[in-house]
C-alpha cells in the first residue's frame, strides 16, 4: 500500500544555490541523511543587502569563518568566492524587482549514515538563498516595540552561529504568542541576549552590552555600535548587566541585521525609561540609528 505523500507548502520559485548549482527554491532538495537535517550539524550567516549592495560583508565573513572553525568544519569557500556567489543571487533577485534583501548562507557537515561521531573529510553541503528583507515598520521605529523577559534555557555555546536553533525558536515563540517583538533573556539573573537579537542598555547616556563570551552570539552590530559610539562620543562598555539594571534603563535597544538598531519602549508590560521620555524612543537611539544609516550608505559593497 502506497502512503499518500505529504502536501508541501507553496514556496516561491526564487533562485537559490545548492553546492554551487542555481535552481528554483521550490524545487531544491537536500538528502535526508544530511547532518544538518539529522543533527542540526551546521552553521549559518545572514548578509543584509540594501539597494543591491551588501553591508558589513567582511565582518559577516569573519564570523562565518569563526563558526566553521569552532565546529571543526572546513572553510567551504574563500571570501572572494562567497562574494561572487552572493552577488549572483542578488542579481537574480534584483531582476525580479527586489532590492533590499537578506542573503542566507548555510554550511552543514555533509551527508553520511547517522552517527554522532563527526565523519572525517565529508564534503560540506552549502546552501544559499536571497529573500526580501522585512525591516521594522515606520510605526515601530517611531513608537518603539514591546518585549517580554524570560530565563535563557539554551545551550552553553551561544557564541557559535549554528543551525540548531530550537532553543531560540522556543524563546521567540514566548513573545510571539503575546503579540510582542522579542524575548529578552537572562542567565542566572544576568542579561544574555534576545531570541534573535542582541540587547543594549542605555544608562546616563552610556551604552552597555553583555560581554563577548560563550553565552552570547557576538552580533555584527557589536562592533558597529561600538564604532558608532566612538564616533559620536557616546561612552560604550561591555560587562555583566543585572535584571534590575535592564528594568531601570533609560533606554533599551535591540540590534540585528534586519532590526539594525530598534528601541524597546515597553518591557513586561511596563514603559521603559524615565521622565518625559518614559515609554518613548530616546536620544541615544535616534543618534545611533541616524549614524547607522550613514554608515550603510558609505560602506556597502
Amino acid at each position: 500500500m502506497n502512503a499518500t505523500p505529504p502536501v508541501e507548502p507553496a514556496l516561491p520559485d526564487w533562485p537559490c544555490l545548492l553546492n554551487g548549482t542555481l535552481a528554483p527554491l521550490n524545487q531544491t532538495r537536500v538528502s535526508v541523511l544530511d547532518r544538518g537535517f539529522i543533527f542540526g550539524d551546521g552553521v549559518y550567516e545572514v548578509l543584509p543587502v540594501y539597494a543591491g549592495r551588501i553591508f558589513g560583508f567582511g565582518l559577516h565573513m569573519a564570523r562565518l569563518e569563526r563558526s566553521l572553525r569552532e565546529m571543526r568544519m572546513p572553510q567551504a569557500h574563500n571570501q572572494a568566492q562567497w562574494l561572487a556567489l552572493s552577488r549572483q543571487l542578488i542579481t537574480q533577485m534584483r531582476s525580479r524587482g527586489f532590492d533590499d534583501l537578506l542573503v542566507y548562507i548555510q554550511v552543514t557537515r555533509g551527508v553520511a549514515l547517522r552517527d554522532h561521531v563527526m565523519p572525517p573529510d565529508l564534503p560540506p553541503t552549502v546552501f544559499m538563498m536571497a529573500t526580501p528583507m522585512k525591516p521594522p515598520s515606520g510605526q515601530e521605529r517611531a513608537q518603539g516595540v514591546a518585549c517580554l523577559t524570560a530565563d535563557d534555557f539554551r545551550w552553553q555555546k551561544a557564541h557559535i552561529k549554528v543551525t540548531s536553533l530550537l532553543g531560540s525558536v522556543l524563546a521567540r515563540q514566548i513573545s510571539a504568542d503575546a503579540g510582542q517583538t522579542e524575548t529578552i533573556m537572562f542567565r542566572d539573573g544576568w542579561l544574555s541576549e534576545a531570541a534573535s537579537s542582541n540587547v543594549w542598555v542605555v544608562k546616563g547616556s552610556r551604552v552597555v552590552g553583555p560581554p563577548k563570551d560563550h553565552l552570547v552570539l557576538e552580533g555584527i552590530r557589536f562592533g558597529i555600535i561600538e564604532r558608532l559610539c566612538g564616533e559620536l562620543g557616546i561612552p560604550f562598555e561591555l560587562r555583566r548587566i543585572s535584571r534590575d539594571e535592564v528594568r531601570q534603563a533609560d533606554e533599551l535597544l535591540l540590534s540585528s541585521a534586519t532590526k539594525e538598531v530598534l528601541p524597546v519602549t515597553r518591557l513586561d508590560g511596563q514603559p521603559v525609561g524615565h521622565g518625559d521620555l518614559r515609554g518613548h524612543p530616546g536620544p541615544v537611539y535616534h543618534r545611533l540609528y541616524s549614524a547607522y544609516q550613514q554608515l550603510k550608505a558609505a560602506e556597502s559593497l
Side-chain angles (χ1 to χ4, degrees), residues 24-278:
L25 182 63
N26 57 7
Q27 297 178 26
T28 301
R29 300 291 184 268
V30 178
S31 170
V32 295
L33 286 179
D34 192 281
R35 287 178 64 92
F37 174 70
I38 295 292
F39 294 114
D41 186 359
V43 303
Y44 75 102
E45 194 58 58
V46 182
L47 311 178
V49 178
Y50 301 97
R53 301 171 65 207
I54 304 171
F55 178 57
F57 177 78
L59 297 172
H60 283 278
M61 288 297 101
R63 185 171 63 179
L64 176 60
E65 291 167 4
R66 289 197 302 270
S67 295
L68 288 166
R69 284 196 302 270
E70 289 276 359
M71 294 287 285
R72 297 165 59 178
M73 292 170 60
Q75 302 293 331
H77 296 299
N78 60 36
Q79 289 198 18
Q81 291 168 327
W82 284 123
L83 182 59
L85 291 168
S86 299
R87 283 179 166 163
Q88 183 180 0
L89 287 174
I90 292 166
T91 298
Q92 291 278 334
M93 289 296 283
R94 294 196 80 191
S95 70
R96 296 171 178 236
F98 300 109
D99 286 333
D100 292 352
L101 302 161
L102 295 173
V103 173
Y104 177 86
I105 298 171
Q106 177 171 302
V107 184
T108 75
R109 201 174 303 276
V111 179
L113 290 174
R114 188 181 185 279
D115 189 331
H116 283 68
V117 176
M118 299 176 185
D121 304 321
L122 277 184
T125 301
V126 180
F127 171 70
M128 298 178 66
M129 65 179 176
T131 56
M133 185 183 292
K134 297 179 180 178
S137 67
Q139 181 178 3
E140 288 175 317
R141 293 218 169 274
Q143 298 181 3
V145 298
C147 296
L148 293 176
T149 61
D151 290 332
D152 194 340
F153 45 75
R154 302 167 307 159
W155 72 327
Q156 298 290 311
K157 289 187 177 290
H159 65 295
I160 311 174
K161 200 170 178 69
V162 292
T163 58
S164 309
L165 287 173
L166 184 57
S168 295
V169 167
L170 292 171
R172 177 65 184 93
Q173 195 62 40
I174 294 171
S175 50
D177 287 343
Q180 301 196 12
T181 297
E182 260 287 21
T183 306
I184 294 176
M185 295 181 288
F186 297 84
R187 292 182 190 263
D188 301 321
W190 302 103
L191 175 67
S192 54
E193 57 192 351
S196 58
S197 319
N198 290 123
V199 183
W200 305 91
V201 172
V202 179
K203 190 68 176 179
S205 297
R206 178 183 295 270
V207 173
V208 186
K212 303 176 190 177
D213 59 19
H214 65 287
L215 301 178
V216 173
L217 177 65
E218 182 186 338
I220 299 304
R221 270 121 296 272
F222 259 74
I224 291 174
I225 288 175
E226 181 176 11
R227 172 184 169 182
L228 294 179
C229 283
E231 293 173 356
L232 296 169
I234 298 172
F236 177 90
E237 181 181 7
L238 298 181
R239 61 169 173 80
R240 295 283 178 222
I241 304 169
S242 71
R243 190 185 295 259
D244 284 344
E245 284 185 275
V246 173
R247 295 196 181 283
Q248 296 166 12
D250 295 332
E251 300 179 45
L252 282 180
L253 309 175
L254 302 174
S255 66
S256 72
T258 51
K259 296 179 183 70
E260 300 179 351
V261 186
L262 186 66
V264 178
T265 51
R266 294 191 70 83
L267 185 66
D268 290 335
Q270 299 299 313
V272 174
H274 305 91
D276 292 341
L277 289 175
R278 182 171 169 81

